[in-house]
Amino acid sequence: MTAPLVFRITGMDCAEEVVVLKREVGPVVGGEGKLSFDIFNGRMTVESLPSDVEQQAVIEAVERAGLQARVVTEASEGAEPDPSLWQRRRRVILTS
């Protein structure tokens, strides 16, 4: 078991994506109970990654859900560009 991992999820802007992520990523990490989500900041936290599972397997599961993921580290947190309005609110814009 490893320490919690935080992933930046591009495209996660509502609960529907969370449901899909739980379905795709849950089995990879050992169950939905190991996942938590921050929709407003586009973050998914994996409580603990089993020792036989690589970070890339989680990223691939997120991609199967139709989203993009990358591991958030302290160094990358400050260097991350703010997503554009379109990236953050595309669903709201299209619905309007």
Side-chain angles (χ1 to χ4, degrees):
M1 299 297 226
T2 60
L5 279 174
V6 179
F7 293 86
R8 169 92 174 171
I9 308 296
T10 303
M12 182 176 69
D13 58 5
C14 71
E16 290 176 15
E17 282 94 8
V18 170
V19 171
V20 175
L21 284 168
K22 284 182 178 182
R23 183 180 65 228
E24 291 294 333
V25 180
V28 173
V29 299
E32 293 177 12
K34 293 188 176 187
L35 300 172
S36 61
F37 299 90
D38 178 354
I39 295 173
F40 294 113
N41 294 307
R43 302 282 195 263
M44 175 183 74
T45 302
V46 179
E47 181 183 303
S48 61
L49 198 59
S51 59
D52 62 335
V53 176
E54 297 290 325
Q55 294 176 4
Q56 187 61 34
V58 176
I59 292 170
E60 290 170 1
V62 171
E63 289 173 354
R64 284 193 302 272
L67 305 167
Q68 295 177 338
R70 72 174 181 270
V71 177
V72 175
T73 62
E74 289 181 29
S76 70
E77 192 67 13
E80 234 174 67
D82 287 336
S84 70
L85 177 65
W86 175 252
Q87 289 173 320
R88 288 181 286 128
R89 301 289 179 224
R90 73 174 173 265
R91 185 176 302 248
V92 173
I93 293 168
L94 291 172
T95 303
S96 297

